[in-house]
Amino acid sequence: MNGAEAHLTPLTARLLVRLVAADGEAVPARQLYRDVWQPTAELPRQDLRGRNEVQKRILELRRALDLAGPGLGARIVRTAQLPTARGVESSYQLVLATEELDSAEFTQLVGGALRAAPASAVRLLAEALRLWRGRPLAEAHGEAFAAGPVRRLTQLRETARRELIAGHSALGRYDLALPVAEQTARERPDDPEAAAALTRLHARLRERHGDELLRHTLRGLRVDVVVVRGDLFDQEDANLVVGFSDTFDTSADDVVISRESVQGQLVERLFEGRHRLLDDGLRRGLKEVTPLVTESVQAKRRGRRTRYPVGTAVAVPLGARRVFALAYSRLGNDLRARSAPADLRLSLERLWPAVAVHGLFKPVAIPLIGAGLARVVELDRTQLLLLIVETFTESLRDDPAVSPELRVVIRADELERTDLPAVEAFLRDMDERSAIPPTQAS
């Protein structure tokens, strides 16, 4: 009572359980003696002896309850006189408020949850299940008088767990429903309903991830590194990074720019095929950049002739988000784009500060840059992905607010040649080595 511990002898504990099992009804002393002591033979003066034994245990129980507050014992364990065929007989009754008896409070909470909306039901059910500690009425487990209450409470617990799973699922919190379903399936290995519920939850969790292949939350920061299978231009909630050459050409004529390249798709899919709309955005951004050189017509007959430094990143507005045009290759006068690992690293290192300044703190999506026509052949796809992730995480040392999420988008045909477990291992190792200083994570 009230958090105070009371130590009862085994017989007194069984007597208490018997009164709890009576569910508020008065139990005659003769019945209590028969159920708790279970005498095997009738002895002389058995009724008197039994009544005395019961009274001694009732006194012990009341004294134990008085430790939580004077007078509690008499208030909770009531004595009544019941008329019987043998005359008036003493009986005992447990009188408790709902909050004073775990089983009663458990029953009330579950009953309330069954009538409540999902958010309230989840709260009530979680509170009810926290009251559950081992088997109900364990001191009288297997006794006939306890069988009914034990069965009722056990069934109610299964209802509570089933409804808690349903409530979490209705709220979209399949991650919170999963531990409940797993515990149920462990405890009831032969229950097909429990197994089916767990299977459904696993399927829901997989659906929730969709094309997401990896997600790692960086320690100490609210920043996620995510790898998804799909199309860069389907990432409608994110800023996009698109690789360019140093001349920032936009006309996808299959001579200077391939229509199949990310640049070519950018014009078609986000600028309605009108490359001049993209040109206007690039022109405004490049006003702040000093060109390296302008080629002559004789030296470069096709495409643009003004060259900008490798690593130039231009933020082009696109509604409420940005497209970051990143020059990471050089377009030769033979119209072949060339880049090297050092060029790619430099470009990525310069990209992330630009994202921090112009990215409106939105997720940033980037393809497996370097794997296309720029031909960074020295690095395989796993190394390219690691380079993207590494430069992004290093940038967080200088500015933890670059972006809430780095999302690397991999095409289905690239996935087979990309070792994602190696990327996950890199991120875990980075956390373990505290690569991002704690002082930057505040």
Side-chain angles (χ1 to χ4, degrees):
M1 293 289 296
N2 300 328
E5 287 191 10
H7 299 283
L8 302 176
T9 59
L11 275 174
T12 304
R14 281 170 56 82
L15 178 70
L16 174 59
V17 171
R18 177 62 184 91
L19 291 173
V20 169
D23 199 21
E25 296 293 326
V27 184
R30 186 194 310 270
Q31 186 67 47
L32 286 173
Y33 182 73
R34 204 162 36 236
D35 290 343
V36 175
W37 277 261
Q38 298 180 348
T40 57
E42 284 289 333
L43 300 174
R45 301 168 60 89
Q46 183 71 66
D47 288 349
L48 180 59
R49 293 159 64 92
R51 187 165 60 249
N52 289 339
E53 284 292 331
V54 170
Q55 288 173 346
K56 283 167 53 179
R57 302 301 172 179
I58 290 291
L59 181 59
E60 180 188 342
L61 179 57
R62 284 172 173 162
R63 285 173 176 169
L65 291 170
D66 282 341
L67 294 175
L72 274 178
R75 195 264 292 171
I76 291 172
V77 184
R78 304 276 182 87
T79 303
Q81 301 297 321
L82 290 181
T84 69
R86 299 186 180 188
V88 177
E89 185 175 355
S90 294
S91 63
Y92 299 94
Q93 178 184 19
L94 206 61
V95 180
L96 287 165
T98 299
E99 65 275 9
E100 293 177 322
L101 183 63
D102 283 354
S103 60
E105 186 178 3
F106 175 79
T107 301
Q108 184 182 66
L109 287 167
V110 175
L114 295 177
R115 299 185 295 273
S120 299
V122 161
R123 175 181 59 79
L124 293 170
L125 291 166
E127 190 176 340
L129 289 168
R130 277 195 292 270
L131 297 172
W132 195 275
R133 302 178 186 90
R135 292 186 294 189
L137 309 183
E139 294 83 354
H141 185 72
E143 301 292 351
F145 67 80
V150 167
R151 183 168 54 251
R152 178 181 62 81
L153 288 169
T154 302
Q155 290 172 348
L156 196 58
R157 183 198 187 202
E158 296 312 311
T159 298
R161 294 202 294 193
R162 185 170 59 249
E163 291 298 319
L164 183 56
I165 292 169
H168 281 314
S169 299
L171 297 172
R173 296 306 307 270
Y174 303 112
D175 52 331
L176 297 181
L178 184 61
V180 184
E182 288 175 334
Q183 182 183 8
T184 303
R186 275 196 308 270
E187 293 179 7
R188 306 182 62 154
D190 299 324
D191 184 349
E193 185 179 343
L198 184 57
T199 299
R200 286 194 299 270
L201 271 178
H202 283 146
R204 289 281 191 173
L205 285 166
R206 284 192 296 271
E207 289 172 8
R208 187 183 67 174
H209 288 295
D211 289 320
E212 186 177 294
L213 303 171
L214 182 153
R215 177 176 291 271
H216 181 94
T217 301
L218 296 172
R219 181 180 297 173
L221 296 172
R222 294 180 179 177
V223 179
D224 290 337
V225 175
V226 185
V227 179
V228 300
R229 173 181 51 229
D231 187 322
L232 178 70
F233 299 107
D234 289 339
Q235 314 307 310
E236 297 179 354
D237 63 328
N239 297 320
L240 306 183
V241 177
V242 176
F244 278 75
S245 68
D246 59 341
T247 54
F248 287 96
D249 283 277
T250 59
S251 179
D253 55 3
D254 280 335
V255 177
V256 180
I257 297 176
S258 167
R259 288 186 175 89
E260 296 181 356
S261 68
V262 178
Q263 283 173 264
Q265 293 180 60
L266 171 65
V267 173
E268 290 298 321
R269 296 180 61 177
L270 297 187
F271 290 90
E272 303 173 350
R274 299 158 64 187
H275 65 84
R276 286 184 175 81
L277 292 176
L278 176 57
D279 289 340
D280 289 342
L282 289 171
R283 192 178 300 112
R284 285 192 293 270
L286 288 170
K287 283 181 181 179
E288 307 298 322
V289 183
T290 302
L292 290 177
V293 67
T294 299
E295 301 273 8
S296 67
V297 176
Q298 292 77 17
K300 192 172 185 294
R301 296 184 178 277
R302 301 290 296 270
R304 294 180 178 164
R305 299 180 177 88
T306 301
R307 298 187 180 278
Y308 293 89
V310 167
T312 299
V314 180
V316 179
L318 182 67
R321 55 191 180 131
R322 302 289 181 266
V323 174
F324 288 89
L326 177 65
Y328 75 98
S329 66
R330 297 176 181 84
L331 185 66
N333 291 347
D334 58 0
L335 303 182
R336 286 184 60 189
R338 296 172 175 84
S339 188
D343 295 326
L344 184 55
R345 175 177 285 277
L346 173 67
S347 301
L348 290 168
E349 288 173 345
R350 293 183 177 176
L351 167 67
W352 307 125
V355 171
V357 172
H358 302 290
L360 308 174
F361 201 59
K362 291 179 179 290
V364 57
I366 183 172
L368 205 54
I369 199 165
L373 296 176
R375 302 178 180 89
V376 185
V377 296
E378 297 91 341
L379 302 178
D380 62 26
R381 280 158 176 74
T382 303
Q383 291 169 318
L384 290 172
L385 177 52
L386 283 169
L387 183 58
I388 293 169
V389 171
E390 179 188 350
T391 55
F392 175 77
T393 54
E394 286 178 348
S395 74
L396 299 177
R397 295 177 177 177
D398 298 323
D399 189 348
V402 173
S403 170
E405 179 183 305
L406 168 65
R407 188 183 307 166
V408 185
V409 184
I410 297 182
R411 300 195 315 267
D413 61 310
E414 295 173 326
L415 186 56
E416 184 179 355
R417 291 172 286 175
T418 308
D419 185 359
L420 292 184
V423 179
E424 184 182 34
F426 168 81
L427 289 165
R428 286 200 315 270
D429 183 61
M430 187 194 72
D431 273 344
E432 290 169 3
R433 291 184 288 105
S434 300
I436 300 174
T439 54
Q440 296 286 340
S442 59

